[in-house]
Amino acid sequence: MRDNYVHLDGDEQDVFYVYLPNHPGKEIPGVVRSSMRLRDLFAELDRADLLQLFGETDVVLDCGEDGRLIGIEIVT
């Protein structure tokens, strides 16, 4: 996945995964070292206005071992 493009994987209904150029590839297990839900971040920042914008959609940011963003999971 080291190409200079973003790959969207929508194999599951209502769940989409955006593989960013830093992602080593979905065939390599265990590459995500930490994740952060935007919903949790907005709640922590007391930003109810941003939470309302998302409605039922959830977005999870996945980081690799070096802490860099490698993927985005979108759950609708």
Side-chain angles (χ1 to χ4, degrees), residues 3-4 6 12 14 20 24 27 38 42 47 55-56 69:
D3 299 292
N4 288 327
V6 173
E12 299 177 42
D14 300 333
L20 299 176
E27 65 279 350
L38 284 185
F42 295 156
R47 293 295 308 265
E56 295 299 316
L69 184 63

Side-chain angles (χ1 to χ4, degrees), residues 7-72:
H7 174 74
L8 176 65
D9 184 357
D11 291 339
E12 299 177 42
Q13 183 179 0
D14 300 333
V15 178
F16 301 92
Y17 196 83
V18 180
Y19 292 89
L20 299 176
N22 290 329
H23 200 291
K26 68 179 178 179
E27 65 279 350
I28 302 172
V31 297
V32 175
R33 297 291 185 229
S34 64
S35 297
M36 174 183 282
R37 293 178 64 209
L38 284 185
R39 221 171 250 298
D40 294 342
L41 176 62
F42 295 156
E44 186 177 311
L45 296 173
D46 198 27
R47 293 295 308 265
D49 58 327
L50 295 175
L51 284 170
Q52 288 178 347
L53 288 174
F54 276 83
E56 295 299 316
T57 302
D58 201 2
V59 176
V60 181
L61 305 176
D62 289 339
C63 295
E65 61 186 25
D66 60 0
R68 294 175 66 183
L69 184 63
I70 60 171
I72 303 168

